[in-house]
Amino acid sequence: MDEERHRGTGEAARVGGSAAEVGRVAGSSGSAGVGRAAESGERAAAGLDRRAELSEFLRTRRARLQPEDVGLSGFGRHRRVPGLRREELAQLAGVSVAYYTRLEQGNGRNVSTEILDSVARALRLTDSEHAHLMHLAGPKQHKKKSGAGRQKPVRSTLRQLLDSMDGVPAYIIGRRSEILTWNRMASALFGDWSQLPPAERNFARLVFLHPEFRDLYLEWDQKAGDVVATLRWEAGCHPDDPRLSALVGELSVKSEEFRRLWAIHDVKEKSFGVKRLLHPLVGELTLSYEGFKSAADPEQTLVMYSAEPGSTSAEGLRLLASWGADAARVELPERP
């Protein structure tokens, strides 16, 4: 196996800027929005502004709910705000309007777990969203800094495991969507990542900055949303990660789609699902994927893809395995 693909992703993005700053300007449109995103992306940042993130997260979660969704009568014909009003949310959570207003303004200090649980239930948060709320509103964790969030090396036994999966596309992804290592079948399916500079071996950059990945994913919008939601989750877990802030700043400057999705504040952990791909050699593939966190380092996730036995997708994977390294060299045609 090529030693180069076992190295870390190397240097961080060249553009600095806090994730929170970018989030506040991401909703702007046109050249003014790009300019403001660029300004925030070019400023050096200590990390994520948790108060601003908490405020925007609660506001966007409240805006997606309607009174009828939570069993309330939609009093008032003319609603001037999207979704639930603050007083409606406070009623559901069992807190005063003034208390919830302070919380939504980012004043999360000294809020009890019980109150946050009540707010999460009222907002109908998913498990990932609930945990994200706890990260944003809970006491700040003063973690010991170690190499500005540098990735730990992948254990040799995990690399051996990847190499042993002859017919299974698999890779290990770390913090900030950095691709740490992969096997031969992953190269055949996604392309030869060893040909990329280490800093470009990053799923977020591939999805938003490499046009061939837009052609590879038949449901690119879904993939893009998943990538941004995972980065948003990591921003809550690691608010002081300057390399994550730099990545968000860079993508916000270079991709309008990223700016739009970042402003939505969706959060999601790496887990499982189904992806539909269009490969230039074997055509359309419908593949299930599963993510498994490393016991030695929970920030490293092994992701494996499989097809339904006996399906055309399973036959496609078998053909890719027979092509081997040659499959990774085929360029994706432009989709009409």
Side-chain angles (χ1 to χ4, degrees):
M1 179 181 290
D2 188 349
E3 275 298 312
E4 185 181 14
R5 62 190 172 100
H6 290 318
R7 298 173 191 165
T9 57
E11 297 299 319
R14 295 180 296 277
V15 183
S18 79
E21 284 182 299
V22 172
R24 286 195 292 272
V25 303
S28 301
S29 59
S31 59
V34 175
R36 292 173 62 196
E39 289 176 7
S40 66
E42 290 167 355
R43 285 194 288 267
L48 177 141
D49 182 342
R50 296 207 312 170
R51 286 192 57 169
E53 290 292 310
L54 174 61
S55 177
E56 285 298 301
F57 179 67
L58 289 174
R59 184 187 60 79
T60 55
R61 299 313 88 179
R62 178 169 58 85
R64 71 183 181 182
L65 290 175
Q66 298 299 322
E68 53 269 25
D69 296 333
V70 294
L72 294 176
S73 59
F75 59 86
R77 290 185 178 181
H78 304 290
R79 301 178 68 86
R80 290 181 293 178
V81 295
L84 293 180
R85 296 175 174 135
R86 283 177 176 170
E87 57 265 30
E88 293 169 334
L89 198 286
Q91 175 186 340
L92 289 170
V95 298
S96 70
V97 177
Y99 189 96
Y100 177 76
T101 299
R102 288 195 300 271
L103 181 61
E104 194 174 287
Q105 289 172 344
N107 298 315
R109 291 183 300 174
N110 303 319
V111 179
S112 69
T113 300
E114 290 76 16
I115 292 294
L116 293 176
D117 288 342
S118 296
V119 170
R121 286 192 296 270
L123 288 170
R124 305 298 195 261
L125 299 186
T126 65
D127 290 343
S128 293
E129 290 172 334
H130 191 168
H132 186 64
L133 174 62
M134 293 299 188
H135 291 149
L136 295 177
K140 186 174 181 179
Q141 302 294 320
H142 297 283
K143 296 181 179 180
K144 187 177 180 180
K145 293 185 178 181
S146 57
R150 188 170 300 159
Q151 296 280 7
K152 294 181 181 179
V154 177
R155 291 185 295 118
S156 60
T157 52
L158 281 178
R159 297 174 183 173
Q160 293 168 12
L161 177 63
L162 286 180
D163 285 344
S164 69
M165 299 177 184
D166 290 335
V168 179
Y171 54 83
I172 294 176
I173 193 167
R175 280 173 61 176
R176 301 172 291 268
S177 75
E178 294 174 358
I179 303 166
L180 305 181
T181 188
W182 58 94
N183 66 4
R184 186 175 65 94
M185 275 297 292
S187 290
L189 182 61
F190 296 106
D192 190 358
W193 288 329
S194 68
Q195 298 302 308
L196 294 174
E200 291 300 309
R201 297 171 197 166
N202 179 290
F203 247 107
R205 287 197 180 94
L206 289 173
V207 167
F208 287 99
L209 304 181
H210 289 245
E212 62 271 21
F213 256 63
R214 185 184 290 268
D215 294 326
L216 177 64
Y217 285 92
L218 287 172
E219 296 163 334
W220 182 88
D221 289 344
Q222 180 190 73
K223 177 61 179 178
D226 288 346
V227 168
V228 174
T230 301
L231 285 181
R232 177 67 78 176
W233 162 265
E234 292 191 20
C237 296
H238 306 286
D240 299 319
D241 184 347
R243 294 174 64 182
L244 177 57
S245 293
L247 174 64
V248 171
E250 178 188 11
L251 293 175
S252 295
V253 169
K254 295 180 178 179
S255 170
E256 181 180 353
E257 291 102 332
F258 182 88
R259 291 196 301 276
R260 177 181 60 81
L261 291 169
W262 186 256
I264 295 174
H265 283 260
D266 284 346
V267 294
K268 180 180 180 181
E269 291 186 83
K270 305 182 194 77
S271 53
F272 60 90
V274 176
K275 296 298 179 189
R276 294 174 58 238
L277 308 177
L278 182 62
H279 195 278
L281 286 178
V282 298
E284 185 173 334
L285 299 169
T286 299
L287 304 176
S288 300
Y289 69 92
E290 293 279 347
F292 302 91
K293 292 186 182 297
S294 168
D297 185 355
E299 293 180 352
Q300 295 181 1
T301 301
L302 169 63
V303 183
M304 301 185 296
Y305 290 77
S306 63
E308 185 73 23
S311 65
T312 56
S313 295
E315 177 63 15
L317 287 184
R318 189 190 67 78
L319 289 174
L320 283 180
S322 68
W323 273 73
D326 291 336
R329 301 191 183 103
V330 177
E331 294 184 1
L332 288 165
E334 290 187 6
R335 195 182 304 171

